[in-house]
């Protein structure tokens, strides 16, 4: 999880407390995603498409809220944005007791937007007080709060349904964001960092995020394909271990994220990203070509390892190149790029799936190689941010 000793200047930043708050926030999302399709269909009479929309619309709200939240965090501080995000999550959780689809969709939007704001405000707050030489590692470890929350939430939702009803799940989805708000509210007000007296026109998508974001969209298509087609691919090949496929991916992803987040700080974000894209592409290509179960599992782990290094490396690049006054907005923008690639990966993969579900993995492998192009083309132009000289 990391410790406060990673974080410098302005007093100790409450790393563990913010990590826990983000974990809780995304556990609430994961918990509702687990039971939402059945609830929308059985209790609200939704068809399959509408029930699916009720699940995914929260993730879309998270994607759109990140750069907006980042911009507000640059202006007024990450603590305030994180607290507002937790409150939105609380309201969204309460709204899940809806008796009609429009109210349920609104609740999903509020929950997704709230958790996006909670995470963006928190990570921006932490990285503002972190030395550049450690930002990749700190961002990578802090990002595990989101992944572990999303992984734990469905298990909690299943457990609550086993002993209770949908209403018990919605109660928990309300209480958990409230706990996240309490954790943030109990922190001391953040020490603001002065960036001089000059002002800038803050952009919603700062220039420092454009190139890494473009690469991130292509690279994260592979994650969307993994989420949608990994289990069907194993099933089409009649592999006995198909129920463990996503587990292997998740374990490989989290282990490499924990162990490898510091690579960008040691070797440079660009170099690590190039390696990560090649590793991801090799893993996805292996899943396209394989007819052997052990090789399929090895390829799955390889794809997970490559994808895990994307956010730490991109964070290192962006925080070095961005003006500090719009750093959190840049972080929000590149994280939204990951969300966008993930969202389009499934539908794009569906266009080329075929009977064996192999086509999506070839598409993902090619997309990971294309992700190299924006960084390679822009290699000589990109420079670390340098504050303007005073006259």
């Amino acid at each position: 999880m990391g410790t406060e000793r990673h974080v410098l200047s302005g007093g100790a930043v409450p790393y563990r407390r913010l990590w826990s708050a983000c974990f809780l926030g995304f556990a609430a999302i994961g918990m509702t995603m687990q039971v939402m399709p059945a609830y929308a269909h059985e209790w609200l009479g939704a068809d399959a498409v509408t029930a699916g929309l009720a699940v995914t619309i929260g993730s879309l709200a998270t994607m759109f809220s990140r750069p907006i939240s980042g911009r507000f965090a640059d202006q007024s501080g990450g603590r305030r944005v994180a607290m507002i995000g937790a409150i939105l999550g609380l309201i969204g959780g309460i709204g899940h007791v809806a008796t009609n689809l429009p109210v349920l969709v609104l609740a999903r939007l509020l929950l997704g937007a709230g958790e996006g704001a909670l995470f963006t405000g928190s990570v921006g707050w932490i990285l503002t007080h972190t030395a550049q030489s450690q930002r990749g590692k700190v961002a990578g470890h802090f990002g595990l709060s989101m992944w572990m929350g999303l992984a734990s939430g469905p298990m909690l939702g299943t457990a609550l349904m086993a002993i209770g009803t949908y209403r018990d799940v919605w109660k928990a989805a309300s209480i958990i964001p409230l706990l996240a708000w309490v954790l943030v509210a109990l922190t001391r007000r953040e020490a603001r960092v002065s960036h001089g007296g000059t002002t800038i026109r803050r952009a919603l998508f700062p220039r420092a995020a454009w190139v890494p974001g473009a690469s991130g969209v292509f690279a994260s298509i592979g994650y969307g394909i993994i989420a949608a087609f990994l289990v069907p691919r194993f099933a089409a090949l009649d592999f006995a271990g198909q129920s463990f496929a996503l587990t292997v991916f998740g374990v490989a992803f989290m282990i490499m994220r924990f162990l490898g987040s510091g690579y960008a700080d040691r070797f440079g974000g660009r170099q690590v990203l190039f390696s990560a894209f090649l590793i991801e592409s090799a893993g996805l290509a292996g899943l396209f070509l394989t007819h052997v179960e052990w090789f399929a599992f090895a390829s799955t782990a390889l794809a997970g390892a490559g994808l895990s290094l994307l956010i730490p490396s991109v964070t290192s690049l962006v925080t070095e190149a961005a003006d500090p006054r719009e750093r959190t907005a840049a972080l929000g923008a590149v994280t939204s790029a990951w969300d966008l690639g993930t969202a389009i990966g499934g539908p794009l993969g569906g266009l080329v799936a075929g009977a064996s579900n192999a086509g999506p993995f070839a598409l993902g492998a090619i997309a990971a190689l294309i992700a190299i192009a924006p960084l390679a083309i822009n290699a000589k132009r990109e420079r670390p941010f340098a504050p303007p000289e005073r006259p």
Side-chain angles (χ1 to χ4, degrees):
M1 190 193 307
T3 64
E4 274 88 348
R5 69 174 178 271
H6 293 313
V7 186
L8 310 176
S9 79
V13 176
Y15 181 98
R16 290 189 181 92
R17 194 170 292 175
L18 293 176
W19 194 101
S20 300
C22 290
F23 168 81
L24 290 171
F26 281 91
I29 288 183
M31 179 175 58
T32 59
M33 289 175 66
Q34 179 70 14
V35 301
M36 181 57 59
Y39 177 75
H41 177 70
E42 295 171 9
W43 288 81
L44 302 180
D47 57 27
V49 174
T50 306
L53 176 64
V55 174
T56 58
I57 199 165
S59 299
L60 290 175
T62 302
M63 178 181 73
F64 284 111
S65 74
R66 292 189 199 272
I68 298 171
S69 301
R71 184 175 181 183
F72 280 118
D74 288 324
Q75 293 173 323
S76 59
R79 182 178 185 272
R80 181 177 298 177
V81 171
M83 291 180 68
I84 292 172
I87 292 172
L88 288 175
L90 168 63
I91 297 171
I94 294 172
H96 279 70
V97 299
T99 56
N100 60 70
L101 275 171
V103 175
L104 179 64
V105 168
L106 178 60
R108 298 293 296 161
L109 287 170
L110 289 172
L111 181 62
E115 306 318 334
L118 171 63
F119 183 85
T120 303
S122 297
V123 73
W125 180 2
I126 286 170
L127 292 177
T128 296
H129 299 277
T130 302
Q132 178 62 42
S133 61
Q134 291 187 308
R135 283 180 181 153
K137 182 176 183 179
V138 171
H141 288 179
F142 192 82
L144 286 174
S145 63
M146 178 173 64
W147 288 99
M148 294 180 73
L150 290 173
S152 303
M155 292 187 286
L156 178 58
T158 300
L160 287 172
M161 286 298 296
I163 61 176
T165 65
Y166 288 113
R167 186 168 293 272
D168 296 307
V169 177
W170 308 148
K171 287 178 181 178
S174 304
I175 293 171
I176 289 175
L178 176 60
L179 294 176
W181 180 86
V182 170
L183 285 173
V184 180
L186 289 176
T187 62
R188 294 182 298 174
R189 293 188 181 276
E190 60 190 296
R192 300 303 301 276
V193 178
S194 174
H195 301 300
T198 59
T199 60
I200 62 168
R201 183 179 179 181
R202 290 182 172 89
L204 193 59
F205 300 99
R207 185 178 295 273
W210 292 0
V211 172
S215 291
V217 170
F218 284 104
S220 57
I221 285 173
Y223 178 69
I225 287 170
I226 288 281
F229 295 102
L230 183 63
V231 173
R233 173 65 171 151
F234 272 63
L237 293 169
D238 199 27
F239 289 158
Q242 61 186 269
S243 58
F244 298 101
L246 284 173
T247 301
V248 169
F249 174 85
V251 169
F253 184 102
M254 291 192 192
I255 289 175
M256 181 54 75
R257 171 66 71 85
F258 183 78
L259 297 177
S261 289
Y263 290 165
D265 300 323
R266 292 173 57 190
F267 305 113
R270 185 186 306 278
Q271 288 76 9
V272 175
L273 271 179
F274 286 162
S275 300
F277 295 155
L278 291 173
I279 293 169
E280 176 196 354
S281 183
L284 292 169
L287 286 166
F288 168 69
L289 296 169
T290 188
H291 292 281
V292 180
E293 188 167 6
W294 71 264
F295 187 71
F297 276 115
S299 297
T300 300
L302 204 61
L307 280 163
S308 72
L309 298 176
L310 176 60
I311 292 299
S313 303
V314 163
T315 298
S316 179
L317 278 176
V318 168
T319 56
E320 184 178 21
D323 187 313
R325 294 163 294 183
E326 54 181 11
R327 181 182 290 140
T328 310
L331 287 171
V334 294
T335 311
S336 290
W338 166 278
D339 295 332
L340 176 60
T342 299
I344 65 177
L348 287 177
L351 295 175
V352 295
S356 66
N357 287 303
F361 296 96
L363 176 66
I366 293 169
L369 293 177
I370 293 174
I372 296 174
L375 287 171
I377 293 171
N378 200 57
K380 294 183 179 179
R381 302 179 194 172
E382 190 174 282
R383 293 289 184 273
F385 173 76
E389 295 182 4
R390 294 183 179 180

